[in-house]
Amino acid sequence: MPSRTAATATEVEESHNAPGLQFNEPLSWRAGKPIAVADLLRRLQALSKELQEMDQEENQRDSFTKVAKELVNPNLLAHKDKGVKALTASCLVDILRLCAPDAPYTGQQLRDIFNMIITQILPALADPSNAYNKQHVYVLDSLAQVKSILLLTDIPSAETLLKNVFQICFDVLSGSSKSSQGEEMQKNVEINMTGLLACLVDESPTLPVEVVDIIVAQFLRTDPKALSGSSSKSKKNGVADEKQSTLVLRQLPPAYNMAKYICNAYPEKMARHFSQYFNDVIVDASTTSKENAPSRHKKRHSDGPEDSDDDHGGPTEEDLKELRKVHGLLRELWRACPGVLQNVIPQLEAELSAENVQLRLLATETLGDIISGIGAAGSPPSPTMDPAAYPSNALSDPSANTVSLNLLTKPSSPHPFPNAHPQAYSNYLGRRQDKSPVIRAAWTTGIGRILTTSAGGAGLSKQEEDRLISDLCRMLADVDEKVRVAAVKVVASFTFRDIVSKLGRTGSVMENGSVLSILAERIRDRKHSVREEAMVVLARIWGVAVGEISAENEQICALLGGIPSKILDTFYINEIEVTVLLDRVLFEQLLPLNYPPVRAKSSKLANGNSQGSRGGQATADTDRESIDPDKIRAERILLMVKDLDEKAKKVFYAIQSRQLVLAKIMNAYLDRCLDYNGGVMDNNETQIKDHMTRLIRSFANHLPNPSQATQDLWKFAKMHDRRSYQLIRFCMGAESDYWTIVKAIKEFNKRIVDASSSTAASNGLLDTLTPLIYRVSLIVYNKSHVPAIVEYSRTDGKSLAATAHEVLREISSKTPEVLKAHVQEICKTLQDEAPSAKKSNDAGAVDNIKACASFASKYPKEIPQDRKFVQAMTSYALYGSPPEAAKYAVSVIWAASDKKEMLVRDLAQKCVKGFEYGGEGFLACLATISQLVLLAPAEIDEQSTDAIIDIAIKQTLLVVREPSRKPPDAYEWSSTIDTEASAKCWALKILVNRIRSHPEGDTLPEVAAPVYSLLSKLIEQLGEISKANDTPPTHKSRLRLLAARLFLKLCTSKPHDALFTPSAFNALTTVAQDSEKPIRAGFLQRLKKYLNAQKLPQRFYTIPFLLAFEPSEELRSNTVTWIKSRATTFSTMKSQGSSNKANIVMESTFARLLSVLSHHPDYANEAEDLIDFSRYIIFYLQSVATEENLSLIYHIAQRVKQCHDAVSLSSSTSPTSDTTSTTEADERLYHLSDLAQIIIRKYEDLHNWTIQTLPGRIRLPSSLFREINSHEVAQRIAERNFLPEGVEDGVEDLLKATMRAQRTGKKRKSEGGDHHEGRETKKAKGLPVRKANASSAREKKAPAPRKSAKTLKARKAGETKEQESGERRRSGRIKEVETSYAERDSDEDDEEMEMDFAGAGAGAGAADERSAEELHSAAEDKEDEEQHDLEVSGETGEVDEEEEEVEEAPAPKKMTPRSTPKKLTPRGKTESTGTSPQAKPKARAKATRSRATATRGRAKAKAKITADDEEDEELSDPPDSE
């Protein structure tokens, strides 16, 4: 026993009267004669008072001996009265104080004393209202101040007492600190308990494991899960302890603070204990799991990550639970006392390399949170980024970008972890390369938290921050979708300020390699989960940034302005899931329905206090009268449209156009639902159900899960909720304002939920119906937005005038009904701004006039008829600028005026009389004339007609006022157009519009011949029209493009197309290979638009396949996408059994392509040239060929070799009908036929497909191919292989290289200096020229050869622009087109491209009986395919606006596409005929069916074709679904 506890009984004096202590009353008693409690309390109080007044140095120790002995009597220590024990303890601590350092007790007596104090006195401190609380506090104070508690460490086997003192002290502080009277525990109790436990930790050589457990457990008090799990201990009568809830929000628990103080006071000692503690837990869990892995494998945590590493055996669910608890403690310990983890961090670092995925995952998550300063309470809540909030977040308002944090969730790191543990931090960063995607995903989340919290507030250096952001970029492009989703969610966790300041440092959303651009790439991810997450996050960012964009913050505009374009571009992915997601994001994030969330008079602002703004915060009292919500919403629409690129803008407008078509189908569906009557029908049950089935299928085929969508739509029909039907009609009605539509959608959703039997059923039904409601609702083109858009168009507020004009133009052309209430205002504005000879109109007036013209074409009665407005339109027609304003003014007059005939005659006379080139308004006069000859040719007298022709040709077209000083062969494009070029363009339109408006009849060919000849000359001579060859190069390019577009326009009319010869068509195809990209792009854009609208014959599908050598990757890829989309559309229609659509358009085009190639200016029969030409065929196969149609394509290639060429015969000056011999043109066809067959066969082998024999035969167009009447000639041609030696090997190498490049995603080089793999570029001085074969050399002269677009691949870097444009486009090998333009109907040729077998045309219905499904498909085709068209980029500055004319011209009727044969059924494999020189194909039949037989059973319904007045803005609407 130590000396301080070794006092013996002999040293205790027997007398109470010894000097020092005056108390002499007995405190003990004999058995059976106890002292009364009152007397005992009095005596103890007296003793306690005297002892408290005594000082250790001034009193004799011997005087306390007797009292000390009596105080440890079991009668006092175990007394039933609490007061006796409290006073006894008070006296005992004073005895220990006065006798220090040697206690007058034995070890056992000390054990009894401390046992009583620990178990009776200390717990009583939890109740401050206790009558003896003063004595309890005094005991605690004495133990802590005098440090008498250290005697506890001298007692043998005192581990239990130590555990109890720690447990009780922490329990006291963690319990209720208020009494029933509301009296609070004194603060010094917490201080003294902390000091008491700190002394024990300091003086104890070792701490029992139980004590360490108790200390560690205090750090879990910040974990809400731990609190909820132990809440039963702190509940009284079933009511949760109120103190705990307030602690979570306001302050840390006292017990937590006490443990934190102890650990920080003695970090080295606690570090040893904690290291052993965590080592035991972690190692035990890991060891146990490995030992029992085989038997416990099935019991592992079911939610754990699935990875191959699990094969090593993993911890059980119980082990994981304990490990998670331990790792949660580590998070909190770093926040509270990082010094105690100096030996634990290396253990955690070792876990990063553990074989088991679950252990690595825990270590990765824990280290990430430790570095971020995130404790056991978890990560802070995500920032509130509401795209519908108004006012929007602003960078200048810090409160708007600060996440609301409480004390427990606020990230806090006492020290920068990278500095304190550099090795562990380095190993943590290395987890980005972990083989498990689960680990990489957790690591990505961790670095996101490090970035958002700035390493727990400790701060990151710029280099370290840039490194983490770079790592985030890599994770956004990780190979595993879980990692990519985690990376996207990380971006979503950033505040708006952090997105701008941190992520924005790497670049804008349009800059390659930046975080935002890679995030934008994820919206095109191959996995839908990634696409969905990325698109929502990206759209939300823009929605929050719209306030700064509206305020014209240049940084934000440049950084985030391109987001809507990226999102809308996903439309081109052409996947149903993406399209549905795009609809949801558009109307929930970019343009949310409830934006701005201002309340009406009876409702509060949705989140008035949640968002900051530049001017402050929106309050809950804000109502609709304080702001104009329609104007705010319209501004957001305009801001979004303003920043859209051309492709995205097409998508946006197509989505609005789609609403018109789908609304018609929805109306039909609702009507049938009424007839269906919930399944109870009296009449026409079969017809109603059949029609319902078609309507539902048309909707379901455009939803992600067609079968489920079909069930849901039938379920909705069976519900027969008439109110829901009416709500949908409200959404579609042009008379509905915006809030009516929003309320209708909300009520509709509520009714669906209320009517469904379960939440899952309602959600499933809404998942189907919501996209349809979005698609048919008139949300953007709403009448509520028109006043604000008109105001912006007039005031140019926030530089939105141009965008406002554009949107108004779209509204007027698509939904003019919404303009009814505002057209008078637009007309009044035009009237006030009318031009004159001395005054010009506003530049934006042209858009307003165009809007009025579109409106007037549908609602002429709504246009003002007063004299002032008519005079204003006349002024625009005579002096409007730009000239398009004059054209639209004429359209308004012709559509709306009651005296239009008189006004038109007067306008014609004014324009013709005294016309002077260069005079005031002469361009307006030319534009007016071009529109007059189109709309009202009958009102123009013969004298004026002659004058108009003279003005157009002699005064404008044939006169070169500024001769070019460049070489005659100069040819180039300019982004601007001068006055002379503009005048010539309008003059050319005048000539074309004359023949467009000419009635059908015998005189049409005669009238059209000179114009066709002029257009062909412009195309063949590269726009040169002057005999002196002095036309400026920029004028020539403009005129050539316009001539090509006008040919396309003319061919949209069947009578005019009949005048367009194959030779002229072949010349037109060369425009697609023009040397200038704007010309190629502009021509193809118009071509694809007409083809989308089904306005051009099928032969025009040939032209896009000439882009095999297109040097512009963008133009080429967009064209390929368009071709594939059209091919898919035709294939879908065929599979659906559409009678008038199920044709073989793309397959039959192959024969026309071979014909065009045979007459191509660059064609030659040499091996090298044929290999070069094989690229066209490969390009076609890659775009069109499938396993199903390859047999048909191969059959067409064979059929070409069984015919003569008819194009050369029709254009020859000495035509002959001899079919017994072959010409050079014939041999060209045969070369290409053999070449195509070889390529198709090798293409078949590379894809492991099988070419099968067809049950019929194709008849080729008679305008291109002639029958071979001689069987001997046909046999000789079939047996001969026309290909020179070496072609087959070269084609095989080229095809393999092309397929290999396609598989690996290899892209072509950018425009200029591009050449392809598989063949070296030919070298020559200057420009490369093709060598003619012997026969062609004898028959032809050798003028300067024309270089096509495909020879751009050999252009040298040093070649000048003049060399390119001169040598490239001047080709003497294009034959002159004859003036006889009458030709066999091209559509009749297309009809002959059918299978001549029984039943080919059976079952064809009338063309005008289109089902709702066909209507939907056509509408989707028209609107969706239109998005793949390429417009001439903004630098073209094109003047060609003839497609935007408004009025319906007296033009000929348009043909309706005829039905085609049913899908072919293969009948076994074909033989190897045609694949080798020795192979012999089957002899073809000598007779063909007549045209009448081929078309028997088909209806020839015709529909009017308009004057293409709005072709640039709108395609003709399909007929009603009914």
Side-chain angles (χ1 to χ4, degrees), residues 514-659:
S514 68
V515 175
L516 294 174
S517 69
I518 297 177
L519 175 64
E521 292 174 3
R522 296 282 65 76
I523 65 179
R524 305 176 72 91
D525 198 278
R526 64 183 182 275
K527 297 294 185 179
H528 185 68
S529 59
V530 183
R531 290 196 299 248
E532 182 175 16
E533 195 74 33
M535 192 179 294
V536 171
V537 170
L538 205 61
R540 186 182 297 128
I541 291 173
W542 185 87
V544 174
V546 74
E548 292 291 339
I549 295 174
S550 175
E552 300 180 351
N553 185 320
E554 294 183 0
Q555 178 191 8
I556 303 301
C557 292
L559 195 65
L560 307 175
I563 288 179
S565 294
K566 292 287 187 180
I567 292 175
L568 291 174
D569 280 349
T570 58
F571 188 88
Y572 295 98
I573 297 177
N574 200 23
E575 291 185 10
I576 295 176
E577 292 85 355
V578 178
T579 305
V580 172
L581 176 61
L582 176 60
D583 292 331
R584 183 163 64 86
V585 167
L586 180 61
F587 297 114
E588 294 176 6
Q589 305 292 336
L590 295 177
L591 302 173
L593 293 178
N594 59 331
Y595 177 83
V598 293
R599 67 176 177 87
K601 293 182 179 180
S602 58
S603 62
K604 294 183 179 180
L605 186 64
N607 54 355
N609 294 327
S610 64
Q611 299 293 333
S613 69
R614 288 185 172 271
Q617 292 183 338
T619 64
D621 296 329
T622 304
D623 54 35
R624 193 171 295 180
E625 286 78 15
S626 62
I627 60 174
D628 184 357
D630 294 330
K631 182 177 181 180
I632 293 171
R633 196 180 315 105
E635 177 186 309
R636 182 163 178 157
I637 294 172
L638 295 177
L639 287 172
M640 187 183 78
V641 175
K642 177 184 177 182
D643 290 333
L644 294 179
D645 58 29
E646 287 303 315
K647 290 179 63 179
K649 204 172 280 187
K650 290 179 186 178
V651 174
F652 179 76
Y653 290 140
I655 290 174
Q656 314 314 318
S657 301
R658 180 186 62 184
Q659 185 273 335

Side-chain angles (χ1 to χ4, degrees), residues 1224-1235:
E1224 178 193 357
D1226 296 335
E1227 292 191 358
R1228 288 185 172 194
L1229 277 178
Y1230 305 151
H1231 277 83
L1232 291 172
S1233 175
D1234 285 344
L1235 180 65

Side-chain angles (χ1 to χ4, degrees), residues 83 86 291 334 349 413 567 583 640 717 744 752 760 762 855 955 991 1001 1053 1107 1285 1314 1360 1441 1463:
E291 292 175 353
W334 177 262
E349 179 186 348
S413 180
I567 292 175
D583 292 331
M640 187 183 78
I752 294 298
S762 64
F855 183 84
Q955 298 186 41
L991 300 178
S1053 167
L1107 268 68
E1285 185 178 357
D1314 181 30
T1360 64
E1441 295 288 342
K1463 187 174 181 180

Side-chain angles (χ1 to χ4, degrees), residues 192-226:
N192 288 328
M193 279 191 174
T194 303
L196 182 145
L197 298 184
C199 288
L200 288 175
V201 172
D202 184 32
E203 293 294 330
S204 298
T206 59
L207 289 176
V209 176
E210 294 83 358
V211 173
V212 177
D213 288 343
I214 293 170
I215 296 175
V216 167
Q218 307 313 309
F219 293 99
L220 286 176
R221 295 187 182 276
T222 58
D223 186 357
K225 296 179 181 178

Side-chain angles (χ1 to χ4, degrees), residues 1113 1116 1297-1309 1315-1318:
E1113 177 62 30
R1116 188 178 192 272
T1298 305
M1299 297 297 296
R1300 184 166 55 250
Q1302 185 182 31
R1303 286 193 300 268
T1304 59
K1306 184 175 182 180
K1307 297 183 178 180
R1308 291 166 56 92
K1309 297 181 180 179
H1315 65 89
H1316 303 272
E1317 65 279 9

